[in-house]
Amino acid sequence: MVKRVAIIGSGNWGSAIARNIGYSTLQHKDTFVSEVKMWVYEEIINGEKLSEIINSRHENIKYLPGKKLPENIVAVTDLVETCKDADYLIFVVPHQFVTGLCNQLKGKIKLTAQGVSMIKGLALNDGSKNGIHLITDEIKSILNIRCSVLMGANLAHEVAEDQFCEATIGYNGSDIEEEIVLKKLFHRDSFRITVVKDANTVELCGALKNVVAVAAGISDGLGYGDNTKAAIIRLGLMEITKFVEKFFPPSNLRTFFQSCGVADLVTTCYGGRNRKLGMAFAKSDKDIKTLEKEVLNGQSAQGVCTAEEVATMLKNTNSQNEFPLFMGVDKVCRREIKPEDLIEHLKNHPEHD
Amino acid sequence: MVKRVAIIGSGNWGSAIARNIGYSTLQHKDTFVSEVKMWVYEEIINGEKLSEIINSRHENIKYLPGKKLPENIVAVTDLVETCKDADYLIFVVPHQFVTGLCNQLKGKIKLTAQGVSMIKGLALNDGSKNGIHLITDEIKSILNIRCSVLMGANLAHEVAEDQFCEATIGYNGSDIEEEIVLKKLFHRDSFRITVVKDANTVELCGALKNVVAVAAGISDGLGYGDNTKAAIIRLGLMEITKFVEKFFPPSNLRTFFQSCGVADLVTTCYGGRNRKLGMAFAKSDKDIKTLEKEVLNGQSAQGVCTAEEVATMLKNTNSQNEFPLFMGVDKVCRREIKPEDLIEHLKNHPEHD
């Protein structure tokens, strides 16, 4: 049976991956239905509906201008219509929308459907457990489906230009056929997939690296050089590793060597929104909201809220001292400590004992 | 018994670490003799002897201008005089000089002396084994002493400015007191040391990362973006790991997370000579020697000869196919393949199977 794929989301990253998925489904007609519905949150662009622009001109002129989408990608504004007969639901929306979207889909999708989350964030519990859980757990629990993740060093516009890159799929199932299908859906000549059976680690790498990127930006903003930044990236990686091993075991150390791990971390710490915000923050005394408006055109930097969520969990479990970088980023973002103090705290990192 | 330290080398990195060692020995007078002799290869700078400049003005005006050395660092031009009564011999010279210097010292040092190598390179066998061995093995076999290594993300001029950074000591001994002394010699408020008992891995990380940096430079020179560079850094890290595990076991995976591993790799791939040379190489059709003159003021880029040494070993052991990045860098540097072909080869890396 050929599988039907639906994409939930059509922003920058959603449109870039839709391009890849469109080509993959065309290439593997024995495995996938070629038509891929993509849920679009309707917007009016210069008097035209975004969904109609995509379906007539095959280009998302707002979020991925200049890049043609294959014609088998069909924009749909009705979420249930997009997803109801899909075998694969690809989630690629800002993380604050996941719960609402899943609630709309509840009971209206195939029982055998499975999800793939491309969302780099965490979900905050409403006081119930230690503080946080995974976005995929949110999806799984509301929709009662399996859910894999895809993470990696994947700046959307470079993916859309078919520049060579890698990504990691975290798949915890035991069905080898299913694993092959999943890889086939994303793997292309210039977009190379490795599948690992360590989905929690893959997902957490994607979320936590944004906190480290804020710290790297702070270091850049303070005028520190390459050595200090390297130390911050490495200490950040050690905290990511420790956090996953402590709160979401079991975890395979080799997963941190995948694209979702070191590669995404490095890319984000040298480019990306979170680094940019950290840098601006260290150079001024403005608050996060103001700087998001000024330097990110109002987009939010995920790392700041992820740091807050992580700090909550660390406080609840009395683990603050083990994670001076994570805690420091949260404190700096609240202006409880000076940016310079973050660097001072790292000089006494437990890693050096 | 207080220990006497000698530094063999007084270039950029040698002078920067001499500054740190000078302060550490002053700080820990119960552990070290404050006077530290530093062997200087004599040069005439504007009519004055470099050794005399260092001893009168306490500054290496040629290799680390503008940074004062503590007065307990004493420049000595006689190698045996520098080392004969030392308990610690710190090797910080270009790797091609190691054999000659060790031969001069043979039989003229304390029997209980031990070495610390800060040299990031490999030694080529004269046809005997598979191709390469470690610099520390060279030191050990000629001088019949133990030898640790210190590696990390340590650009010399930033270390000399006391910017916060980390380094890794690889120490394979079992004497905990000795380990503490070794750490004390280097550890400072802004230069944080972690000691690991996996010296071969630490040393190999320091040498092999230069090959990856040439590849990163090639990618930059070809105009590829962050995703591609991240993939190259990651695939390079995977090849470093595999190389160490295959040819120099046992190796602890956690060592690659130390400053000698990911941190030094990242720093070198974003800055540093080897990246610079790779970039220039991809943009022109000149040969390595010419480019070393033009873009590195005649300094050599270690990564090119390390790639050649590694390629020799891989050919001798019929392992070429497992290391397409290492092999590719060597072939590009010989102009056997085009720079673009390196990226094409990486698209079919065994990591993606």
Side-chain angles (χ1 to χ4, degrees), chain B residues 293-326:
Chain B
K293 273 186 211 121
E294 288 183 9
V295 302
L296 302 180
N297 297 319
Q299 288 190 291
S300 67
Q302 200 71 53
V304 178
C305 61
T306 303
E308 184 178 342
E309 290 159 357
V310 166
T312 303
M313 182 144 182
L314 294 176
K315 283 178 206 158
N316 290 349
T317 55
N318 205 16
S319 319
Q320 297 103 307
N321 294 342
E322 296 171 57
F323 299 88
L325 188 146
F326 287 167

mmCIF file of all heavy atoms in Angstrom, chain B residues 293-326:
data_model
loop_
_atom_site.group_PDB
_atom_site.id
_atom_site.type_symbol
_atom_site.label_atom_id
_atom_site.label_comp_id
_atom_site.label_asym_id
_atom_site.label_seq_id
_atom_site.Cartn_x
_atom_site.Cartn_y
_atom_site.Cartn_z
ATOM 1 N N LYS B 293 53.107 30.404 0.833
ATOM 2 C CA LYS B 293 53.842 31.676 0.771
ATOM 3 C C LYS B 293 52.893 32.863 0.731
ATOM 4 O O LYS B 293 53.055 33.846 1.426
ATOM 5 C CB LYS B 293 54.746 31.717 -0.469
ATOM 6 C CG LYS B 293 56.118 31.107 -0.213
ATOM 7 C CD LYS B 293 57.053 31.292 -1.418
ATOM 8 C CE LYS B 293 58.020 30.118 -1.481
ATOM 9 N NZ LYS B 293 57.952 29.374 -2.728
ATOM 10 N N GLU B 294 51.857 32.739 -0.129
ATOM 11 C CA GLU B 294 50.980 33.889 -0.367
ATOM 12 C C GLU B 294 50.020 34.193 0.785
ATOM 13 O O GLU B 294 49.820 35.349 1.127
ATOM 14 C CB GLU B 294 50.172 33.669 -1.648
ATOM 15 C CG GLU B 294 51.013 33.776 -2.912
ATOM 16 C CD GLU B 294 50.174 33.638 -4.174
ATOM 17 O OE1 GLU B 294 48.928 33.632 -4.092
ATOM 18 O OE2 GLU B 294 50.778 33.532 -5.248
ATOM 19 N N VAL B 295 49.401 33.155 1.332
ATOM 20 C CA VAL B 295 48.375 33.454 2.349
ATOM 21 C C VAL B 295 48.816 33.178 3.782
ATOM 22 O O VAL B 295 48.162 33.604 4.726
ATOM 23 C CB VAL B 295 47.017 32.735 2.072
ATOM 24 C CG1 VAL B 295 46.468 33.109 0.715
ATOM 25 C CG2 VAL B 295 47.124 31.233 2.215
ATOM 26 N N LEU B 296 49.910 32.427 3.960
ATOM 27 C CA LEU B 296 50.344 32.129 5.330
ATOM 28 C C LEU B 296 51.736 32.696 5.624
ATOM 29 O O LEU B 296 52.384 32.280 6.584
ATOM 30 C CB LEU B 296 50.352 30.616 5.569
ATOM 31 C CG LEU B 296 49.037 29.848 5.354
ATOM 32 C CD1 LEU B 296 49.243 28.363 5.630
ATOM 33 C CD2 LEU B 296 47.927 30.388 6.251
ATOM 34 N N ASN B 297 52.199 33.637 4.796
ATOM 35 C CA ASN B 297 53.540 34.224 4.968
ATOM 36 C C ASN B 297 54.614 33.155 5.101
ATOM 37 O O ASN B 297 55.541 33.291 5.908
ATOM 38 C CB ASN B 297 53.567 35.123 6.214
ATOM 39 C CG ASN B 297 52.624 36.293 6.072
ATOM 40 O OD1 ASN B 297 52.546 36.887 4.992
ATOM 41 N ND2 ASN B 297 51.910 36.623 7.132
ATOM 42 N N GLY B 298 54.453 32.065 4.373
ATOM 43 C CA GLY B 298 55.471 31.021 4.370
ATOM 44 C C GLY B 298 55.331 29.987 5.473
ATOM 45 O O GLY B 298 56.040 28.988 5.495
ATOM 46 N N GLN B 299 54.410 30.220 6.425
ATOM 47 C CA GLN B 299 54.183 29.196 7.454
ATOM 48 C C GLN B 299 53.541 27.980 6.790
ATOM 49 O O GLN B 299 52.833 28.114 5.794
ATOM 50 C CB GLN B 299 53.232 29.731 8.528
ATOM 51 C CG GLN B 299 53.863 30.773 9.443
ATOM 52 C CD GLN B 299 52.956 31.065 10.624
ATOM 53 O OE1 GLN B 299 51.898 31.655 10.446
ATOM 54 N NE2 GLN B 299 53.332 30.639 11.802
ATOM 55 N N SER B 300 53.764 26.804 7.358
ATOM 56 C CA SER B 300 53.145 25.633 6.738
ATOM 57 C C SER B 300 51.810 25.328 7.421
ATOM 58 O O SER B 300 51.586 25.666 8.575
ATOM 59 C CB SER B 300 54.071 24.425 6.825
ATOM 60 O OG SER B 300 54.209 24.032 8.163
ATOM 61 N N ALA B 301 50.914 24.718 6.647
ATOM 62 C CA ALA B 301 49.633 24.285 7.207
ATOM 63 C C ALA B 301 49.754 22.793 7.480
ATOM 64 O O ALA B 301 49.825 21.973 6.566
ATOM 65 C CB ALA B 301 48.499 24.566 6.233
ATOM 66 N N GLN B 302 49.806 22.490 8.757
ATOM 67 C CA GLN B 302 50.004 21.121 9.227
ATOM 68 C C GLN B 302 49.037 20.118 8.608
ATOM 69 O O GLN B 302 49.382 18.966 8.381
ATOM 70 C CB GLN B 302 49.815 21.143 10.753
ATOM 71 C CG GLN B 302 50.422 19.994 11.487
ATOM 72 C CD GLN B 302 51.934 20.086 11.494
ATOM 73 O OE1 GLN B 302 52.505 21.089 11.874
ATOM 74 N NE2 GLN B 302 52.578 19.026 11.041
ATOM 75 N N GLY B 303 47.818 20.563 8.354
ATOM 76 C CA GLY B 303 46.780 19.644 7.867
ATOM 77 C C GLY B 303 47.143 18.956 6.569
ATOM 78 O O GLY B 303 46.745 17.808 6.332
ATOM 79 N N VAL B 304 47.879 19.641 5.718
ATOM 80 C CA VAL B 304 48.225 19.066 4.415
ATOM 81 C C VAL B 304 49.173 17.885 4.579
ATOM 82 O O VAL B 304 48.959 16.814 4.002
ATOM 83 C CB VAL B 304 48.844 20.138 3.489
ATOM 84 C CG1 VAL B 304 49.244 19.531 2.158
ATOM 85 C CG2 VAL B 304 47.867 21.294 3.293
ATOM 86 N N CYS B 305 50.209 18.047 5.410
ATOM 87 C CA CYS B 305 51.118 16.901 5.564
ATOM 88 C C CYS B 305 50.500 15.825 6.443
ATOM 89 O O CYS B 305 50.724 14.632 6.223
ATOM 90 C CB CYS B 305 52.516 17.320 6.029
ATOM 91 S SG CYS B 305 52.557 18.134 7.598
ATOM 92 N N THR B 306 49.661 16.220 7.407
ATOM 93 C CA THR B 306 48.965 15.191 8.193
ATOM 94 C C THR B 306 48.040 14.366 7.283
ATOM 95 O O THR B 306 47.971 13.141 7.406
ATOM 96 C CB THR B 306 48.160 15.829 9.348
ATOM 97 O OG1 THR B 306 49.040 16.604 10.167
ATOM 98 C CG2 THR B 306 47.492 14.775 10.213
ATOM 99 N N ALA B 307 47.364 15.034 6.349
ATOM 100 C CA ALA B 307 46.499 14.305 5.404
ATOM 101 C C ALA B 307 47.318 13.308 4.595
ATOM 102 O O ALA B 307 46.887 12.168 4.365
ATOM 103 C CB ALA B 307 45.795 15.288 4.468
ATOM 104 N N GLU B 308 48.513 13.720 4.188
ATOM 105 C CA GLU B 308 49.370 12.820 3.407
ATOM 106 C C GLU B 308 49.794 11.612 4.246
ATOM 107 O O GLU B 308 49.748 10.469 3.781
ATOM 108 C CB GLU B 308 50.600 13.597 2.928
ATOM 109 C CG GLU B 308 51.499 12.785 2.028
ATOM 110 C CD GLU B 308 52.696 13.593 1.527
ATOM 111 O OE1 GLU B 308 52.664 14.830 1.596
ATOM 112 O OE2 GLU B 308 53.660 12.952 1.065
ATOM 113 N N GLU B 309 50.154 11.872 5.487
ATOM 114 C CA GLU B 309 50.569 10.778 6.377
ATOM 115 C C GLU B 309 49.411 9.811 6.635
ATOM 116 O O GLU B 309 49.573 8.596 6.581
ATOM 117 C CB GLU B 309 51.075 11.369 7.705
ATOM 118 C CG GLU B 309 52.400 12.102 7.553
ATOM 119 C CD GLU B 309 52.693 13.115 8.656
ATOM 120 O OE1 GLU B 309 51.829 13.316 9.537
ATOM 121 O OE2 GLU B 309 53.773 13.714 8.627
ATOM 122 N N VAL B 310 48.243 10.393 6.886
ATOM 123 C CA VAL B 310 47.062 9.561 7.149
ATOM 124 C C VAL B 310 46.693 8.754 5.903
ATOM 125 O O VAL B 310 46.384 7.555 5.988
ATOM 126 C CB VAL B 310 45.875 10.449 7.599
ATOM 127 C CG1 VAL B 310 44.560 9.698 7.556
ATOM 128 C CG2 VAL B 310 46.127 10.989 9.005
ATOM 129 N N ALA B 311 46.745 9.396 4.739
ATOM 130 C CA ALA B 311 46.405 8.698 3.497
ATOM 131 C C ALA B 311 47.351 7.517 3.251
ATOM 132 O O ALA B 311 46.921 6.442 2.813
ATOM 133 C CB ALA B 311 46.438 9.667 2.317
ATOM 134 N N THR B 312 48.623 7.716 3.568
ATOM 135 C CA THR B 312 49.594 6.623 3.439
ATOM 136 C C THR B 312 49.179 5.435 4.301
ATOM 137 O O THR B 312 49.139 4.291 3.857
ATOM 138 C CB THR B 312 51.002 7.107 3.882
ATOM 139 O OG1 THR B 312 51.354 8.242 3.096
ATOM 140 C CG2 THR B 312 52.045 6.013 3.718
ATOM 141 N N MET B 313 48.825 5.738 5.530
ATOM 142 C CA MET B 313 48.411 4.676 6.451
ATOM 143 C C MET B 313 47.139 3.986 5.962
ATOM 144 O O MET B 313 47.019 2.759 6.030
ATOM 145 C CB MET B 313 48.167 5.276 7.832
ATOM 146 C CG MET B 313 47.782 4.246 8.869
ATOM 147 S SD MET B 313 48.500 4.715 10.443
ATOM 148 C CE MET B 313 47.994 3.354 11.481
ATOM 149 N N LEU B 314 46.204 4.779 5.465
ATOM 150 C CA LEU B 314 44.931 4.198 5.005
ATOM 151 C C LEU B 314 45.152 3.320 3.774
ATOM 152 O O LEU B 314 44.524 2.268 3.640
ATOM 153 C CB LEU B 314 43.913 5.311 4.714
ATOM 154 C CG LEU B 314 43.466 6.116 5.937
ATOM 155 C CD1 LEU B 314 42.527 7.251 5.530
ATOM 156 C CD2 LEU B 314 42.792 5.227 6.985
ATOM 157 N N LYS B 315 46.056 3.740 2.895
ATOM 158 C CA LYS B 315 46.366 2.901 1.723
ATOM 159 C C LYS B 315 47.037 1.601 2.157
ATOM 160 O O LYS B 315 46.687 0.521 1.701
ATOM 161 C CB LYS B 315 47.288 3.664 0.761
ATOM 162 C CG LYS B 315 46.574 4.718 -0.074
ATOM 163 C CD LYS B 315 47.582 5.461 -0.965
ATOM 164 C CE LYS B 315 47.077 6.858 -1.283
ATOM 165 N NZ LYS B 315 48.169 7.769 -1.667
ATOM 166 N N ASN B 316 47.988 1.732 3.075
ATOM 167 C CA ASN B 316 48.718 0.534 3.526
ATOM 168 C C ASN B 316 47.819 -0.486 4.209
ATOM 169 O O ASN B 316 48.140 -1.668 4.251
ATOM 170 C CB ASN B 316 49.836 0.935 4.504
ATOM 171 C CG ASN B 316 50.955 1.681 3.815
ATOM 172 O OD1 ASN B 316 51.003 1.728 2.581
ATOM 173 N ND2 ASN B 316 51.851 2.269 4.593
ATOM 174 N N THR B 317 46.713 -0.008 4.763
ATOM 175 C CA THR B 317 45.813 -0.925 5.478
ATOM 176 C C THR B 317 44.535 -1.158 4.691
ATOM 177 O O THR B 317 43.589 -1.744 5.209
ATOM 178 C CB THR B 317 45.449 -0.345 6.862
ATOM 179 O OG1 THR B 317 44.895 0.976 6.670
ATOM 180 C CG2 THR B 317 46.666 -0.240 7.753
ATOM 181 N N ASN B 318 44.517 -0.682 3.456
ATOM 182 C CA ASN B 318 43.367 -0.878 2.574
ATOM 183 C C ASN B 318 42.058 -0.363 3.188
ATOM 184 O O ASN B 318 41.022 -1.022 3.127
ATOM 185 C CB ASN B 318 43.248 -2.366 2.217
ATOM 186 C CG ASN B 318 42.520 -2.548 0.893
ATOM 187 O OD1 ASN B 318 42.387 -1.589 0.121
ATOM 188 N ND2 ASN B 318 42.033 -3.752 0.639
ATOM 189 N N SER B 319 42.125 0.800 3.823
ATOM 190 C CA SER B 319 40.953 1.347 4.526
ATOM 191 C C SER B 319 40.443 2.631 3.880
ATOM 192 O O SER B 319 39.668 3.367 4.499
ATOM 193 C CB SER B 319 41.317 1.669 5.984
ATOM 194 O OG SER B 319 42.115 0.682 6.557
ATOM 195 N N GLN B 320 40.861 2.892 2.654
ATOM 196 C CA GLN B 320 40.510 4.171 2.027
ATOM 197 C C GLN B 320 39.010 4.460 2.031
ATOM 198 O O GLN B 320 38.583 5.575 2.303
ATOM 199 C CB GLN B 320 40.987 4.245 0.575
ATOM 200 C CG GLN B 320 42.481 4.178 0.369
ATOM 201 C CD GLN B 320 42.926 2.814 -0.111
ATOM 202 O OE1 GLN B 320 42.578 1.813 0.530
ATOM 203 N NE2 GLN B 320 43.642 2.770 -1.209
ATOM 204 N N ASN B 321 38.224 3.429 1.697
ATOM 205 C CA ASN B 321 36.784 3.653 1.518
ATOM 206 C C ASN B 321 36.053 4.063 2.793
ATOM 207 O O ASN B 321 34.973 4.632 2.729
ATOM 208 C CB ASN B 321 36.112 2.406 0.941
ATOM 209 C CG ASN B 321 36.600 2.136 -0.470
ATOM 210 O OD1 ASN B 321 37.150 3.038 -1.120
ATOM 211 N ND2 ASN B 321 36.423 0.915 -0.938
ATOM 212 N N GLU B 322 36.652 3.741 3.928
ATOM 213 C CA GLU B 322 35.995 4.105 5.195
ATOM 214 C C GLU B 322 36.244 5.570 5.560
ATOM 215 O O GLU B 322 35.593 6.097 6.442
ATOM 216 C CB GLU B 322 36.536 3.225 6.331
ATOM 217 C CG GLU B 322 36.221 1.751 6.177
ATOM 218 C CD GLU B 322 36.983 0.934 7.221
ATOM 219 O OE1 GLU B 322 36.804 1.212 8.426
ATOM 220 O OE2 GLU B 322 37.760 0.047 6.825
ATOM 221 N N PHE B 323 37.193 6.216 4.881
ATOM 222 C CA PHE B 323 37.601 7.576 5.265
ATOM 223 C C PHE B 323 37.612 8.518 4.058
ATOM 224 O O PHE B 323 38.659 9.050 3.689
ATOM 225 C CB PHE B 323 38.993 7.524 5.925
ATOM 226 C CG PHE B 323 39.062 6.707 7.181
ATOM 227 C CD1 PHE B 323 39.331 5.337 7.130
ATOM 228 C CD2 PHE B 323 38.828 7.292 8.412
ATOM 229 C CE1 PHE B 323 39.385 4.585 8.299
ATOM 230 C CE2 PHE B 323 38.878 6.540 9.585
ATOM 231 C CZ PHE B 323 39.159 5.175 9.524
ATOM 232 N N PRO B 324 36.453 8.723 3.437
ATOM 233 C CA PRO B 324 36.443 9.560 2.230
ATOM 234 C C PRO B 324 36.872 11.005 2.457
ATOM 235 O O PRO B 324 37.423 11.630 1.538
ATOM 236 C CB PRO B 324 34.985 9.491 1.758
ATOM 237 C CG PRO B 324 34.208 8.858 2.851
ATOM 238 C CD PRO B 324 35.153 8.122 3.730
ATOM 239 N N LEU B 325 36.664 11.533 3.650
ATOM 240 C CA LEU B 325 37.085 12.915 3.896
ATOM 241 C C LEU B 325 38.608 13.006 3.994
ATOM 242 O O LEU B 325 39.230 13.822 3.308
ATOM 243 C CB LEU B 325 36.414 13.465 5.154
ATOM 244 C CG LEU B 325 36.631 14.968 5.413
ATOM 245 C CD1 LEU B 325 35.398 15.608 6.064
ATOM 246 C CD2 LEU B 325 37.834 15.239 6.309
ATOM 247 N N PHE B 326 39.204 12.176 4.809
ATOM 248 C CA PHE B 326 40.670 12.183 4.926
ATOM 249 C C PHE B 326 41.322 11.951 3.553
ATOM 250 O O PHE B 326 42.246 12.667 3.163
ATOM 251 C CB PHE B 326 41.149 11.092 5.899
ATOM 252 C CG PHE B 326 40.876 11.380 7.358
ATOM 253 C CD1 PHE B 326 41.016 10.371 8.313
ATOM 254 C CD2 PHE B 326 40.497 12.639 7.808
ATOM 255 C CE1 PHE B 326 40.783 10.615 9.662
ATOM 256 C CE2 PHE B 326 40.256 12.890 9.161
ATOM 257 C CZ PHE B 326 40.406 11.864 10.085
#
